[in-house]
Amino acid sequence: MAFSAYDMYRISISVVPILTAREALSGVAGSISLVSWIVLLLPQLVENYKNGSADALSPAFLIAWLLGDLANLIGAIWGSLLPTVIALAAYFCFADVMLLSQIIFYNHITGQEKIAGDERRLSNCSEEEPLLSSERRNSSTVSRCGSITKFDVRLMLLTPEVSPWAKFTGNAFSIIVVCVVGTMGWFIAWKTGAWGAQDDSLTDENIPVGAEILGYISAVLYLTARIPQIIQNYRKKSCDGLSLLFFCLSLLGNLTYGAGILFHSTDLPYVINNTPWLLGSLGTMIEDIIIFTQFHMYSKSAEPPSII
């Protein structure tokens, strides 16, 4: 995801009992960010299932993301971080594998079956044609085979589509729910004593250098992972099959993560120490905005298919 297991450790240790408004905002922002990352891949998993395809996703995008999450998991285990942090890192890897499994299943297994079925249908169509003149045979074949294509397209056109307003409302509602759940989660953690204001003097305590390096490696992988997806969208001139909510949650997660750091402190030494994570979040948000722009551009250029 956009921040490493080491980052989660940094924002999880808390021993100072005094709670200021800025610390509360920092905790709420961090909690919302965490919830965003937990549910991040669910919209895309559902989208792939509905479409029966995962063609829209760039495999290089997911592989880079999985490598980043694996670096997180190894770093968390290496650094003997909290069990909850290790469990979260493992969950992220599991979610990545689920998404990659969909790509393998839909694009290679069922995709090959679909191609074979189409070839059989075309073969049967041509075999049923009478041995007439070449011109009549070609005309008949086009008519008979073309009728199948027209029927499929008519079914697609008659299928009710979700309006843009309904999609916007659904995505906005999902974002609000994530924010509410994150806020309630922080409040419960604070009330039960599981969360408190962070003490900066303990954030680097007992963290092996190797685990910290893995955190930086994962941040670089997260930052560069979207580039293959942006290139694929540009080449196809389409974002069909991608879940907009997937990228909305990514933007929300990175935005609240950076906000959580800055709400905690804007002192120069603290900001400098957190610059790699702030730059990683900022860079990922810029890439998400590029993908949002692609959604807007390519949805406008899309034209309904012709049934003629």
Side-chain angles (χ1 to χ4, degrees), residues 72-93:
N72 267 352
L73 179 59
I74 296 171
I77 297 172
W78 190 350
S80 300
L81 303 187
L82 299 174
T84 52
V85 173
I86 295 175
L88 272 173
Y91 165 77
F92 291 155
C93 292

Side-chain angles (χ1 to χ4, degrees), residues 50-196:
K50 287 181 179 178
N51 297 334
S53 171
D55 286 336
L57 284 170
S58 166
F61 167 38
L62 293 181
I63 290 172
W65 213 335
L66 175 60
L67 290 175
D69 286 334
L70 284 173
N72 267 352
L73 179 59
I74 296 171
I77 297 172
W78 190 350
S80 300
L81 303 187
L82 299 174
T84 52
V85 173
I86 295 175
L88 272 173
Y91 165 77
F92 291 155
C93 292
F94 172 77
D96 295 340
V97 170
M98 288 291 292
L99 209 48
L100 282 169
S101 299
Q102 281 190 323
I103 288 182
I104 296 172
F105 179 75
Y106 289 129
N107 294 2
H108 297 282
I109 299 177
T110 60
Q112 292 297 327
E113 293 175 355
K114 184 178 183 300
I115 292 173
D118 291 343
E119 289 176 348
R120 284 194 300 269
R121 186 178 68 176
L122 291 174
S123 176
N124 292 337
C125 182
S126 60
E127 289 173 359
E128 290 173 1
E129 293 305 316
L131 295 175
L132 302 174
S133 65
S134 175
E135 181 179 352
R136 288 186 60 189
R137 182 167 65 248
N138 292 341
S139 174
S140 177
T141 302
V142 171
S143 175
R144 188 170 295 185
C145 295
S147 64
I148 298 173
T149 304
K150 290 180 182 179
F151 178 73
D152 292 340
V153 173
R154 286 193 184 100
L155 280 179
M156 181 180 65
L157 293 176
L158 291 174
T159 302
E161 292 187 0
V162 181
S163 67
W165 174 250
K167 290 181 180 179
F168 172 81
T169 304
N171 289 341
F173 178 75
S174 299
I175 295 295
I176 292 172
V177 169
V178 168
C179 292
V180 170
V181 171
T183 303
M184 291 178 60
W186 169 83
F187 182 77
I188 293 172
W190 175 59
K191 279 294 187 181
T192 58
W195 187 94

